[in-house]
Amino acid sequence: MARRTAVAWAALGPLLWGCALALQGGMLYPRETPSRERKELDGLWCFRADFSHNRRRGFEEQWYRRPLRESGPTLDMPDFVGWVWYEREVILPERWTQDLSTRVVLRIGSAHAYAIVWVNGVDTLEHEGGYLPFEADISNLVQVGPLSSQLRITIAINNTLTPTTLPPGTIQYKNDTSNYPKGYFVQNIYFDFFNYAGLQRSVLLYTTPTAYIDDITVTTGVEHDSGLVNYQISVKGSNLFELEVRLLDAENKLVANGTGTQGQLKVPGARLWWPYLMHKRPAYLYSLEVRLTAQTSLGPVSDFYTLPVGIRTVNVTKSQFLINGKPFYFHGVNKHEDADIRGKGFDWPLLVKDFNLLRWLGANAFRTSHYPYAEEVLQMCDRYGIVVIDECPGVGLALPQFFNNVSLQNHMRVMEEVVRRDKNHPAIVMWSVANEPASHLESAGYYLKMAIAHTKALDPSRPVTFVTRSNYAADKGAPYVDVMCVNSYYSWYNDFGHLELIQRQLTTQFESWYKTYQKPIIQSEYGAEAIVGFHQDPPLMFTEEYQKSLLEQYHVVLDQKRRKYVVGELIWNFADFMTEQSPLRVLGNKKGVFTRQRQPKSAAFLLRERYWKIANETRYPYSIAKSQCLENSPFI
Ligand code: GCB
């Protein structure tokens, strides 16, 4: 389904970058409630790639004005390719078009990377950046008369990466005409995953009343044995309204209530949200029901929204990461949204499979390397107690020219969008603003300082980090993080083949970082490639034995340090994933402990033993047996 942009051979289209920094309004997940309906537009879209020389034919011929089929041939496309045009014709329920107290919203879950949207040929919405949702109120376009229930949605998407996009990229023209055709160019990227393009998550339409709950922000605390739920609600479409807030427990029993746009609910004897394997009843969720009654020019309306709420605290000391006041050790993975056939396209069966495997492994955490994952993924984390480090698409900041003011403004806007979308998930315990930026550069130091400060201002309730692979003595961003996240590939990229050096080098790494910064450290990546079925004794690179042996060497040192100031280990990677072609990659990156088809390599069993052992040492105060945890085999 998902393919890569065919960028070579043509100039870029009109890139109308220009998003405002200040975000307008909230980005609540579009749930169905008694006052809200939703209509998913999953399935086939009409599709056309613009192969014209300058890639501008679609704009010159105004393809959005008429059905795409009238301006040339189209393909059925469940997903996407490059600088391309998607179209969908939709029939709306009559009430949506006739009832003027209904507001109709078009929401795009993710379009990588720059999108322009027309509704019935009218320019409606533009958005820069993949992996994050954007939406527009289209009521005025659909409530225009008796024939208005038919709607045509056209989306033009360009996934060209430039020095100021996030992630950044460059376009390189190959001017040597003896080796390349005239005008030939390639897109260079500076990250190690396939740059799948297009619509990756659901496009949907949903309704609210014209006066509606626009946003809810919840933070939680604990005071003695009471849980505290602080809420802030913003309302749009009316100044004359009342808000009722009710907190229900998992059995639907009312435990606290309030009124107004902000307040604090106190829950005596609250059941806290605990990570998986840290408690016999992890991931306890309350429901915050918000009911709005408002006066509008058309009469009274009411809106209703329910938000899952987990009561928990997060704190960081010099050497510990605390959840609900108890030391938490991240034993987990780094993931990608990636699978055969669907690329980065969202897929429920894959998601369920991955969560079964995570629980089987005994993993209690993952990082959303290297971009924000679908909201449905985070909802699963809330429900299963899988702790998340939420990373923005700040990956591949490898060149000095990427650290400029335009990029920084854009990066800060992206963080605003990430925090706005994800702030209410109890599973998210830390934000990551970047992966492996060239943080030894002075300009990167300033850039990271600003990006981190901005994120902290957006959400003072969570620690902020970025993931580094710079040397401890050279890193200019490290002073600003709350937790050090350090990647290293000893005996893989450095001194490859020399497993005997790992313990010494890893010990030096931890001790140097800790001595310099006195902050808790997470080994945020380590690993080795293994091609499933390759075996060799003594272990050689790319075999399952080598991957296992490398992990074992890391674990010796992690065991020494995790009782001191190392607060986590996240394997690179959960599963094999697709990358750009290179002489360093064999059909993608093979550092998964599962294959791309989610079958276990030997390392998965090693990791499982380890994670369950650690869980049993650090659990409070309950004992959970591996067998109790999963009724079904995760390999189903
Ligand atoms: C890294 C990157 C990750 C790569 C990995 C590798 O340091 O953060 O994106 O995929 O190394 O396998 O090289």
Side-chain angles (χ1 to χ4, degrees):
M1 265 201 253
R3 311 234 182 97
R4 178 190 169 209
T5 329
V7 284
W9 269 110
L12 302 177
L15 301 184
L16 312 171
W17 322 114
C19 296
L21 187 68
L23 298 179
Q24 309 243 314
M27 191 53 70
L28 288 176
Y29 185 72
R31 289 174 199 286
E32 271 177 331
T33 76
S35 62
R36 295 171 175 229
E37 295 165 74
R38 63 180 252 173
K39 184 175 172 67
E40 277 160 28
L41 306 183
D42 295 340
L44 294 178
W45 287 62
C46 284
F47 174 87
R48 183 185 303 145
D50 186 343
F51 286 114
S52 63
H53 178 68
N54 64 2
R55 295 281 164 109
R56 292 194 47 140
R57 179 171 298 155
F59 294 93
E60 288 161 3
E61 295 180 358
Q62 302 186 324
W63 288 352
Y64 47 87
R65 287 207 161 229
R66 299 177 290 155
L68 266 185
R69 60 181 177 272
E70 293 179 14
S71 55
T74 62
L75 299 172
D76 283 345
M77 193 57 162
D79 230 41
F80 45 75
V81 173
W83 187 214
V84 292
W85 293 71
Y86 289 83
E87 181 192 78
R88 185 73 185 262
E89 286 173 330
V90 191
I91 309 282
L92 295 185
E94 205 171 61
R95 199 187 64 73
W96 292 22
T97 63
Q98 303 301 312
D99 176 0
L100 296 185
S101 58
T102 289
R103 175 175 160 265
V104 182
V105 182
L106 170 63
R107 188 192 216 253
I108 290 143
S110 158
H112 188 62
Y114 177 66
I116 307 171
V117 183
W118 293 264
V119 174
N120 290 341
V122 177
D123 192 348
T124 306
L125 192 55
E126 287 179 26
H127 185 260
E128 181 187 328
Y131 314 113
L132 288 162
F134 52 103
E135 62 178 34
D137 179 343
I138 59 165
S139 314
N140 288 344
L141 295 167
V142 302
Q143 293 169 344
V144 290
L147 294 175
S148 56
S149 56
Q150 195 143 350
L151 201 67
R152 190 165 39 82
I153 300 170
T154 317
I155 310 179
I157 304 180
N158 187 322
N159 79 335
T160 307
L161 300 177
T162 75
T164 56
T165 56
L166 206 65
T170 53
I171 298 294
Q172 188 185 1
Y173 284 87
K174 305 275 194 176
N175 295 328
D176 164 13
T177 48
S178 57
N179 285 306
Y180 301 96
K182 198 162 167 281
Y184 193 86
F185 69 89
V186 289
Q187 166 87 75
N188 291 323
I189 55 172
Y190 304 87
F191 50 83
D192 179 32
F193 56 90
F194 206 83
N195 191 29
Y196 287 111
L199 295 176
Q200 298 173 337
R201 298 175 192 160
S202 288
V203 175
L204 55 87
L205 293 161
Y206 72 93
T207 65
T208 72
T210 45
Y212 60 97
I213 300 157
D214 175 54
D215 200 9
I216 306 173
T217 307
V218 162
T219 57
T220 62
V222 177
E223 203 179 71
H224 309 298
D225 81 329
S226 289
L228 304 176
V229 177
N230 307 303
Y231 64 86
Q232 194 161 0
I233 301 164
S234 80
V235 169
K236 286 202 171 155
S238 170
N239 291 325
L240 215 59
F241 61 83
E242 281 176 13
L243 279 168
E244 269 177 78
V245 178
R246 286 153 39 94
L247 191 72
L248 307 177
D249 67 12
E251 279 75 48
N252 258 344
K253 228 177 75 235
L254 180 73
V255 293
N257 59 342
T259 55
T261 54
Q262 56 184 41
Q264 183 175 76
L265 306 177
K266 198 163 182 176
V267 190
R271 296 184 62 169
L272 302 185
W273 188 95
W274 288 97
Y276 174 54
L277 299 182
M278 207 169 167
H279 195 275
K280 71 173 175 198
R281 176 71 162 92
Y284 192 89
L285 292 175
Y286 292 86
S287 301
L288 188 80
E289 287 188 355
V290 180
R291 181 186 293 275
L292 165 79
T293 24
Q295 298 303 326
T296 69
S297 52
L298 296 173
V301 298
S302 35
D303 190 19
F304 191 77
Y305 193 87
T306 304
L307 183 77
V309 168
I311 302 178
R312 57 111 184 88
T313 62
V314 173
N315 289 101
V316 174
T317 71
K318 260 165 79 170
S319 59
Q320 289 178 316
F321 195 99
L322 304 173
I323 296 185
N324 299 333
K326 308 281 189 201
F328 176 72
Y329 188 77
F330 296 77
H331 43 89
V333 304
N334 291 275
K335 286 184 98 265
H336 264 301
E337 290 186 319
D338 176 271
D340 277 348
I341 310 205
R342 61 190 65 74
K344 291 197 183 304
F346 180 77
D347 184 57
W348 275 111
L350 177 73
L351 184 59
V352 171
K353 174 80 178 175
D354 280 6
F355 273 77
N356 281 349
L357 292 178
L358 286 171
R359 292 190 299 154
W360 175 85
L361 263 186
N364 65 0
F366 66 78
R367 171 166 66 117
T368 67
S369 43
H370 297 306
Y371 39 82
Y373 294 175
E375 290 158 283
E376 291 79 1
V377 178
L378 301 172
Q379 289 163 5
M380 288 281 270
C381 291
D382 290 345
R383 289 179 43 220
Y384 285 110
I386 304 293
V387 165
V388 176
I389 301 172
D390 197 2
E391 187 160 277
C392 85
V395 59
L397 293 159
L399 306 180
Q401 64 263 36
F402 295 161
F403 299 98
N404 61 67
N405 277 339
V406 177
S407 301
L408 178 58
Q409 291 300 310
N410 186 38
H411 200 133
M412 298 208 289
R413 178 190 55 85
V414 171
M415 282 317 302
E416 289 174 26
E417 290 190 19
V418 175
V419 173
R420 174 176 67 168
R421 192 195 71 160
D422 292 347
K423 62 191 170 188
N424 292 323
H425 289 285
I428 297 173
V429 299
M430 182 154 66
W431 307 110
S432 164
V433 301
N435 178 68
E436 297 187 349
S439 51
H440 59 282
L441 300 172
E442 286 296 342
S443 55
Y446 172 76
Y447 184 105
L448 290 163
K449 176 182 173 178
M450 298 305 284
I452 290 169
H454 190 63
T455 308
K456 278 175 179 286
L458 293 167
D459 177 15
S461 78
R462 288 179 178 88
V464 183
T465 190
F466 76 92
V467 172
T468 186
R469 67 149 185 227
S470 296
N471 180 278
Y472 76 96
D475 198 306
K476 300 289 188 297
Y480 310 111
V481 301
D482 296 306
V483 174
M484 302 297 331
C485 286
V486 181
N487 294 349
S488 59
Y489 285 91
Y490 302 126
S491 192
W492 188 260
Y493 292 123
N494 311 102
D495 296 305
F496 36 85
H498 291 278
L499 295 166
E500 71 282 4
L501 293 175
I502 291 176
Q503 290 191 31
R504 170 185 295 267
Q505 296 183 352
L506 188 59
T507 304
T508 306
Q509 169 199 291
F510 284 139
E511 290 179 354
S512 319
W513 278 106
Y514 194 69
K515 213 166 116 206
T516 314
Y517 288 106
Q518 308 271 297
K519 292 178 188 177
I521 303 175
I522 295 176
Q523 180 70 41
S524 39
E525 285 181 28
Y526 71 107
E529 312 240 349
I531 297 172
V532 72
F534 274 28
H535 295 286
Q536 197 78 43
D537 180 48
L540 295 184
M541 290 177 81
F542 292 99
T543 65
E544 295 197 36
E545 287 73 18
Y546 192 90
Q547 186 184 36
K548 254 173 53 175
S549 305
L550 185 144
L551 265 47
E552 277 166 342
Q553 292 301 308
Y554 262 81
H555 295 163
V556 172
V557 181
L558 284 161
D559 279 340
Q560 291 159 8
K561 302 298 181 192
R562 76 184 159 88
R563 299 191 175 86
K564 300 182 175 141
Y565 49 80
V566 170
V567 297
E569 54 188 84
L570 303 174
I571 187 85
W572 191 264
N573 188 284
F574 172 72
D576 293 346
F577 58 92
M578 194 42 72
T579 59
E580 291 288 298
Q581 297 187 70
S582 109
L584 285 174
R585 296 285 179 260
V586 186
L587 296 179
N589 187 312
K590 292 284 192 283
K591 294 195 187 71
V593 295
F594 296 100
T595 64
R596 201 178 188 213
Q597 297 71 31
R598 276 45 177 183
Q599 295 305 316
K601 301 181 192 172
S602 309
F605 296 94
L606 176 91
L607 220 54
R608 179 175 199 239
E609 284 309 309
R610 174 170 179 77
Y611 285 177
W612 280 94
K613 188 171 128 275
I614 296 176
N616 275 306
E617 283 169 22
T618 52
R619 187 183 340 105
Y620 301 93
Y622 307 98
S623 132
I624 301 157
K626 267 193 237 176
S627 57
Q628 278 174 277
C629 180
L630 272 187
E631 290 118 43
N632 298 320
S633 161
F635 297 124
I636 292 171

